[in-house]
Amino acid sequence: MIAALTFFLAGCGTDTVRTLEAIPTEASDVLAAEPDEPRFRLAPPPDPAALTIPNTSYYGWALLDRHTGTITASPNAASEGNTVESMIKPWIVADYLRRLAENGQTPTSETLDHLRLVIIDSNDPLAHRYYVEGGSDDVVMRLIDICSLTSVRIDPGQWWSTWMTPVDAVRYGECLADGRAAGHMWTPWVLEVMTEVRGSVDEQISGEVQGGRWGIIDGLPPELGAEISFKNGYTEYVDGWHVNCLAIHRDWILAVMMRSWAGLAGAADGCAMVARDMVHDGS
């Protein structure tokens, strides 16, 4: 391969163009190549209204393109919503860590262990403890303010009953991803812990250990699934399971929300189905 370098010499009123021939080499990869396009990507359906979730009394979804800021969503995604349940837990963790750093403090190893369990095991008592320490409703008020959310409703003293639309859910995901939620120091830690969520749909052992590794991640090819930070929220009510799935990728954020009478497993499949229908194979 022969590489040529072209540059301009400017001075004394003249512009001289000179081309230098590089030394021949047999290596084909001496010059840095552009990175390959990823094989898989997520793209919204041509007709958003056609992407529906069966066995639900309510469903909505939104996809945020992190490069353009464009949100594509189900027709009801800006007006109808769901109780957030455990999907809000990464915010409780991020808000606590950011405020600690703003006060020049560092969490103890025990505190970090607690906060990790809030996310990876969806530990309710620990989530409530740090929610209360953060000022209860003030924690959700800061979520609304810092993440510029427009349709959130607060249920006093009950973080799990906070009401949110899918459009605000992807804005919340972007807030976690871009550093506003946890701040510069703790954002990488929060996003990394969100990749470690564990436990299946069947592993709902107690309020301290609730399996959450399902949903959107099951609808993605392994290459994409390995690149997401995610958190689900889920509780059974009289009107069915309130289930929310949030996934953060470097290129996009996807939120799926529903009230399902198909059980937790059926709702998890609904989140996976929405993600699966958006996967495009570029090979």
Side-chain angles (χ1 to χ4, degrees):
M1 177 178 83
I2 303 290
L5 304 176
T6 303
F7 62 99
F8 288 88
L9 298 176
C12 303
T14 62
D15 288 337
T16 304
V17 179
R18 182 176 300 174
T19 300
L20 301 182
E21 294 296 329
I23 299 173
T25 173
E26 295 179 359
S28 59
D29 58 350
V30 170
L31 296 181
E34 290 294 322
D36 293 336
E37 286 293 319
R39 175 179 171 183
F40 297 103
R41 62 184 180 86
L42 245 61
D47 178 12
L51 183 46
T52 62
I53 304 174
N55 302 314
T56 56
S57 58
Y58 157 77
Y59 71 85
W61 58 264
L63 178 70
L64 168 65
D65 183 323
R66 297 193 64 203
H67 298 287
T68 65
T70 302
I71 296 175
T72 308
S74 57
N76 62 349
S79 58
E80 297 180 40
N82 207 15
T83 52
V84 293
E85 311 305 330
S86 294
M87 191 176 73
I88 201 173
K89 286 173 179 171
W91 169 260
I92 295 173
V93 169
D95 182 62
Y96 183 85
L97 289 170
R98 186 197 68 258
R99 294 177 69 239
L100 213 59
E102 287 171 351
N103 290 323
Q105 298 175 300
T106 304
T108 65
S109 57
E110 181 184 34
T111 296
L112 284 178
D113 287 343
H114 287 172
L115 297 176
R116 184 170 177 270
L117 292 175
V118 168
I119 293 176
I120 68 169
D121 284 340
S122 210
N123 187 301
D124 285 338
L126 287 175
H128 195 68
R129 169 179 168 177
Y130 289 98
Y131 163 76
V132 171
E133 285 193 25
S136 299
D137 294 346
D138 288 344
V139 173
V140 185
M141 288 298 297
R142 287 192 293 271
L143 166 65
I144 295 168
D145 182 49
I146 292 173
C147 299
S148 302
L149 307 186
T150 59
S151 304
V152 173
R153 299 177 202 159
I154 295 175
D155 189 356
Q158 302 187 87
W159 48 265
W160 57 92
S161 293
T162 302
W163 188 92
M164 186 181 291
T165 64
V167 166
D168 267 351
V170 293
R171 291 174 180 152
Y172 158 47
E174 177 64 15
C175 191
L176 289 169
D178 68 15
R180 282 174 291 160
H184 175 75
M185 180 178 296
W186 290 105
T187 294
W189 186 89
V190 170
L191 294 177
E192 176 61 28
V193 172
M194 289 177 69
T195 69
E196 300 169 4
V197 171
R198 60 192 179 187
S200 70
V201 168
D202 298 327
E203 293 178 288
Q204 307 307 313
I205 298 167
S206 67
E208 290 80 15
V209 180
Q210 305 175 82
R213 197 172 187 82
W214 44 262
I216 290 172
I217 192 170
D218 293 329
L220 301 176
E223 295 94 321
L224 277 183
E227 296 175 343
I228 64 168
S229 301
F230 68 104
K231 187 72 185 80
N232 301 320
Y234 42 98
T235 301
E236 187 176 15
Y237 289 87
V238 215
D239 59 349
W241 279 88
H242 291 206
V243 174
N244 313 297
C245 301
L246 176 69
I248 299 169
H249 185 269
R250 64 175 174 270
D251 296 325
W252 47 263
I253 294 167
L254 175 62
V256 185
M257 310 179 83
M258 73 189 81
R259 293 189 286 278
S260 170
W261 56 76
L264 182 56
D269 288 343
C271 288
M273 182 204 74
V274 171
R276 191 177 299 114
D277 284 358
M278 293 185 186
V279 173
H280 288 247
D281 187 343
S283 63

